[in-house]
Amino acid sequence: MRMTARPENAHQARLLKLLRDDGPRSRAELGDVVRLSRSKLATELDRLVELGLVEGAGLAASRGGRRSAIVRLSPALRFVAFDIGATSIDVAVLGGELDVLGHVSEECDVRLGATVVLDRALDLLGKLRDEGLIPQVHGTGIGVPGPVSFRDGMPVVPPIMPGWDRFPVRDAIGQELGCPVLVDNDVNIMALGELHAGPARQVDDFLLVKIGTGIGCGIVVDGTIYRGVSGSAGDIGHIRIDDDGPVCACGNAGCLEAYFGGAALARDALAAARDGRSAHLAERLEHAGALNAADVADALGAGDPEALRLVREGGRHVGQVLAGLVSFFNPGLVIISGGVAGLGHTLLAEIRSVVYRRSAPLATGNLPIVLTELPGTAGVIGAGRLISDHVFSTSS
Amino acid sequence: MRMTARPENAHQARLLKLLRDDGPRSRAELGDVVRLSRSKLATELDRLVELGLVEGAGLAASRGGRRSAIVRLSPALRFVAFDIGATSIDVAVLGGELDVLGHVSEECDVRLGATVVLDRALDLLGKLRDEGLIPQVHGTGIGVPGPVSFRDGMPVVPPIMPGWDRFPVRDAIGQELGCPVLVDNDVNIMALGELHAGPARQVDDFLLVKIGTGIGCGIVVDGTIYRGVSGSAGDIGHIRIDDDGPVCACGNAGCLEAYFGGAALARDALAAARDGRSAHLAERLEHAGALNAADVADALGAGDPEALRLVREGGRHVGQVLAGLVSFFNPGLVIISGGVAGLGHTLLAEIRSVVYRRSAPLATGNLPIVLTELPGTAGVIGAGRLISDHVFSTSS
């Protein structure tokens, strides 16, 4: 397989990222942004065309003089994204501007281990390949549901991923696909997806709170993922709410995840169905044999008071933890995402209420707290962003 | 007054910061670090000598060939530091390497307002000037005990600083001293002091927890102060510990500062003295008419069991909040500082015990939690670091 071309200097890298983030632009517009002389800009763009990364796309409308030529990223550019969750795999093929060209998803238990799960992901990619979507892969980004050594490209002691500890995910997939690969935590890649395509585009410092089976947080500082010194930053699921709360899977009592998240909500919904507090949930249980966040959302939509209570309580507990983090981090935006975020505005209203009441006033003065606008796609777009940042830079 | 000379390009800025942080160096050693050609390095250093920022200081030992000339920052460089606390003013004069040449301190209530307090600070500076320590001021760094708009150089809605809201501290002192001035939160400048002269020198990402009258946190990301979008990052004093805890001055219940900090400790010590739980504290109270953290430290040293209980409880509450922040931020180091940190290893042991038990295991694997090695000087050194970073850079 042909090696992926890379930019040769910082100007070329900047031009590629501009074209990725803002779409096709005239040479005149690019010149305004990058502040290169006309001849220097022409040299760099011509070189990017030679490398097969950029191509001409007609002439722009006149700005008063000669019409300027439009350039765009090569339509042949392809990034692959694997978003591996606790119970699902998403595989997508993206163009150079991180537009989703194809996206398949299936249920898969991450506890089946690295070999099985990655084989499934490659099978799914094969389906997209069969559709002719992938002339060449220029890079692959991978998210996994646990802590990652970003430098080594592998999960490290991931609590819910037996069989994955120090499995060389980056190197294995790199060998398979013959392209650059980067691996990161799934919450971090969701935050990158929001940075690329959500309301966070305009914000330097923000938090993405993912409420799925567990609860995690992506931290963006100055437009870059903050990972902490051992890659575990944002691991907020076991922050203490109360010393005498429910016992958590981690062994401590009163952690956030012992109160809320997909797992805790399923537990509480089951109890409510069984002890007669919710006829609606009892009916769903009888029908399906188990309950999850979607059942609670359904009960909520039907006006079930017990479901309402569960969601409000959950929002209050998320808000209690988030209020502290907002005081500490003073973000410009908080985005709520993940499967349980499907509980929507009831959950959001409760989170907002607690954060706005309990955080430092200066930190909440202009703080939007919103639901994601990218449910289902933030992860794969973020995985594309991760690897394209790498491929579109000079250092390897 | 003569304008302060500034470096003219990034190479000169880098050389000045190296000489500030590492002290006098031979031209050969500097060449190894900055990777400039011998002639280019000579040009830049000669220009810094012309600007009066650098001077020659003899010859280095031979490294095999001709002996290389040693250069150092000009001994005439002077930075002024004002560290304004809730109840004290520290004023220091620093040399180019941020060595403390003179340091005076006095009690002063910040609630007297900006004009009175800044006049007192200038009076204290006058004393140092009379000692002949200040041929010329090249820049002044100022810390104040509240939130600051760093861009505007002024406090913004500071809760414990009546009369300071939007007072133009930077511009007023700049006009008075005729030099560049920067203003920041006092906890941030302590963190910068640790970054310059404490164990944090080797660490990119760390937290400095200041336990004084209140409790605040300085956040360093990648060697730079993280201030948040409105300058209030690190405002951790009102993070919730319990919904049904003591009522806090902020109006909420169960905030960290309602449990611990200088003010809460004085309150609890007074109660212990009055209701007969501590004969030692009762005796101090009778003697002094009031109690503070130093009295509790004294009682602790004398083996008073009630003092021990108060300090352990306080450490536990700090630890509960810090455990969450360590999980979230995954720092490489936590430093405990401030007046109450004088309670020493009893306090530290309790904080460590809670953090190591409750934080995410990956985040505490290699996490040192230590007492400051710079009690009393971190603030003024940090204020010098703040302004010298500015003066030793090209952009103004």
Side-chain angles (χ1 to χ4, degrees):
Chain A
M1 181 171 271
R2 195 154 57 89
M3 279 299 291
T4 300
R6 299 276 292 273
E8 300 160 332
N9 60 44
H11 295 306
Q12 292 178 13
R14 178 107 197 275
L15 290 165
L16 290 170
K17 287 176 190 163
L18 278 170
L19 292 170
R20 176 194 67 185
D21 298 344
D22 298 340
R25 282 292 176 274
S26 71
R27 287 175 177 245
E29 286 171 314
L30 287 172
D32 293 348
V33 179
V34 297
R35 294 168 179 272
L36 287 178
S37 73
R38 201 160 152 167
S39 64
K40 178 76 176 143
L41 176 69
T43 306
E44 302 299 357
L45 284 173
D46 290 348
R47 183 66 187 134
L48 288 172
V49 171
E50 278 173 38
L51 290 170
L53 294 167
V54 160
E55 65 170 36
L59 293 178
S62 170
R63 299 203 298 184
R66 220 174 49 165
R67 290 168 67 197
S68 177
I70 291 180
V71 292
R72 67 177 175 203
L73 289 179
S74 163
L77 278 168
R78 289 293 180 274
F79 297 111
V80 167
F82 290 168
D83 183 10
I84 296 167
T87 59
S88 62
I89 304 178
D90 280 69
V91 177
V93 174
L94 312 171
E97 296 168 17
L98 309 187
D99 40 323
V100 179
L101 302 173
H103 184 176
V104 287
S105 178
E106 69 171 33
E107 292 196 2
C108 178
D109 190 333
V110 77
R111 291 173 296 183
L112 294 171
T115 314
V116 174
V117 173
L118 292 176
D119 277 350
R120 290 295 306 131
L122 289 168
D123 283 352
L124 288 172
L125 180 63
K127 285 193 194 175
L128 295 170
R129 202 189 285 272
D130 293 345
E131 293 173 21
L133 283 171
I134 322 178
Q136 184 195 354
V137 180
H138 294 81
T140 299
I142 303 178
V144 298
V148 166
S149 166
F150 185 68
R151 202 192 49 196
D152 300 328
M154 52 178 64
V156 180
V157 205
I160 64 164
M161 300 171 70
W164 288 78
D165 187 23
R166 304 203 73 79
F167 185 91
V169 175
R170 180 187 63 202
D171 297 346
I173 298 296
Q175 201 148 29
E176 193 67 38
L177 298 181
C179 67
V181 176
L182 287 178
V183 183
D184 205 344
N185 174 267
D186 61 342
V187 185
N188 287 346
I189 66 162
M190 285 178 105
L192 281 174
E194 299 287 348
L195 184 66
H196 187 79
R201 276 193 80 141
Q202 317 300 331
V203 183
D204 286 337
D205 307 313
F206 72 90
L207 299 180
L208 172 109
V209 179
K210 181 193 174 191
I211 313 177
T213 306
I215 300 180
C217 184
I219 306 169
V220 172
V221 172
D222 206 12
T224 306
I225 290 289
Y226 174 80
R227 296 187 174 87
V229 297
S230 46
S232 77
D235 191 356
I236 66 170
H238 301 279
I239 291 184
R240 166 194 170 280
I241 291 197
D242 260 317
D243 288 333
D244 48 2
V247 173
C248 183
C250 75
N252 280 315
C255 300
L256 175 56
E257 283 187 12
Y259 281 100
F260 195 58
L265 191 60
R267 173 201 66 200
D268 292 346
L270 189 66
R274 284 194 174 147
D275 67 12
R277 272 176 289 140
S278 166
H280 192 102
L281 288 171
E283 196 183 315
R284 303 271 302 189
L285 177 63
E286 196 172 8
H287 205 73
L291 291 172
N292 60 26
D295 297 306
V296 178
D298 184 83
L300 186 68
D304 182 73
E306 181 63 14
L308 182 62
R309 194 187 66 79
L310 289 178
V311 174
R312 280 200 180 147
E313 287 261 292
R316 183 163 65 84
H317 290 124
V318 173
Q320 283 170 339
V321 167
L322 195 51
L325 301 180
V326 164
S327 293
F328 173 78
F329 186 69
N330 186 15
L333 173 68
V334 174
I335 303 172
I336 309 294
S337 185
V340 168
L343 300 170
H345 283 273
T346 305
L347 180 68
L348 184 65
E350 195 67 28
I351 293 174
R352 283 177 169 161
S353 151
V354 178
V355 173
Y356 291 144
R357 192 173 67 239
R358 283 227 64 129
S359 297
L362 260 178
T364 54
N366 293 304
L367 177 68
I369 304 175
V370 301
L371 294 174
T372 180
E373 294 171 12
L374 305 169
T377 57
V380 293
I381 293 172
R385 169 82 178 212
L386 179 72
I387 191 62
S388 67
D389 272 343
H390 174 73
V391 171
F392 288 168
S393 64
T394 50
S395 58
S396 56
Chain B
M1 181 172 269
R2 197 153 56 88
M3 279 299 291
T4 301
R6 300 276 292 273
E8 300 159 333
N9 60 44
H11 296 306
Q12 293 178 13
R14 178 107 197 275
L15 289 165
L16 289 170
K17 287 176 189 164
L18 279 170
L19 292 170
R20 176 194 67 186
D21 298 344
D22 298 339
R25 282 292 177 274
S26 72
R27 286 174 178 247
E29 286 171 315
L30 287 172
D32 292 349
V33 178
V34 296
R35 293 168 179 272
L36 287 177
S37 73
R38 202 160 150 166
S39 65
K40 178 77 176 142
L41 176 69
T43 305
E44 303 299 357
L45 284 173
D46 290 348
R47 183 65 187 134
L48 288 172
V49 172
E50 279 174 36
L51 290 170
L53 293 168
V54 160
E55 65 169 36
L59 293 178
S62 170
R63 300 204 298 185
R66 221 174 47 164
R67 292 168 66 197
S68 177
I70 290 180
V71 292
R72 67 177 175 203
L73 289 179
S74 163
L77 279 169
R78 290 293 179 277
F79 297 111
V80 166
F82 290 168
D83 183 8
I84 296 168
T87 59
S88 62
I89 304 178
D90 280 69
V91 177
V93 174
L94 312 171
E97 295 168 17
L98 308 186
D99 39 324
V100 179
L101 302 173
H103 184 177
V104 287
S105 179
E106 68 172 32
E107 292 196 359
C108 178
D109 190 333
V110 77
R111 292 174 297 183
L112 293 171
T115 314
V116 173
V117 173
L118 292 176
D119 276 351
R120 289 297 305 133
L122 289 168
D123 283 352
L124 288 173
L125 181 63
K127 285 193 195 176
L128 295 170
R129 201 188 285 273
D130 293 345
E131 293 173 22
L133 283 172
I134 323 177
Q136 185 195 353
V137 180
H138 294 82
T140 299
I142 303 179
V144 298
V148 166
S149 167
F150 185 68
R151 201 191 50 196
D152 300 328
M154 52 178 65
V156 180
V157 206
I160 65 164
M161 300 171 70
W164 288 79
D165 186 25
R166 304 202 73 78
F167 186 91
V169 175
R170 180 188 63 203
D171 296 347
I173 298 297
Q175 200 148 28
E176 193 66 39
L177 298 181
C179 66
V181 176
L182 288 178
V183 183
D184 205 344
N185 174 267
D186 62 342
V187 185
N188 287 347
I189 66 163
M190 285 179 104
L192 282 175
E194 299 287 349
L195 184 65
H196 187 79
R201 279 193 78 143
Q202 317 300 332
V203 184
D204 286 338
D205 307 314
F206 72 91
L207 299 180
L208 172 109
V209 179
K210 180 194 175 191
I211 313 176
T213 306
I215 300 180
C217 183
I219 307 169
V220 172
V221 172
D222 205 13
T224 306
I225 290 290
Y226 174 79
R227 296 187 175 87
V229 296
S230 46
S232 77
D235 192 356
I236 65 170
H238 301 279
I239 291 184
R240 167 193 169 280
I241 291 197
D242 260 317
D243 288 334
D244 49 1
V247 173
C248 182
C250 75
N252 281 316
C255 300
L256 175 56
E257 284 186 12
Y259 281 99
F260 195 58
L265 191 60
R267 173 201 66 201
D268 291 347
L270 188 65
R274 286 199 173 141
D275 67 11
R277 271 177 289 139
S278 166
H280 192 100
L281 288 171
E283 196 183 314
R284 303 272 301 188
L285 176 62
E286 196 174 5
H287 205 73
L291 291 173
N292 60 27
D295 297 305
V296 178
D298 184 84
L300 186 68
D304 182 73
E306 182 62 15
L308 181 62
R309 195 186 66 79
L310 290 178
V311 174
R312 280 200 180 147
E313 286 261 292
R316 183 163 64 86
H317 291 124
V318 173
Q320 284 170 339
V321 167
L322 195 50
L325 301 180
V326 163
S327 293
F328 173 78
F329 186 68
N330 187 15
L333 173 68
V334 174
I335 303 173
I336 309 293
S337 186
V340 169
L343 300 170
H345 283 273
T346 306
L347 180 67
L348 185 64
E350 195 67 28
I351 293 174
R352 283 177 170 161
S353 150
V354 178
V355 173
Y356 291 143
R357 191 173 67 238
R358 282 226 68 127
S359 297
L362 258 178
T364 53
N366 293 304
L367 177 67
I369 304 175
V370 301
L371 294 174
T372 180
E373 294 170 11
L374 305 168
T377 57
V380 294
I381 292 172
R385 169 82 177 211
L386 179 72
I387 191 62
S388 67
D389 272 344
H390 174 73
V391 171
F392 289 168
S393 64
T394 50
S395 58
S396 56

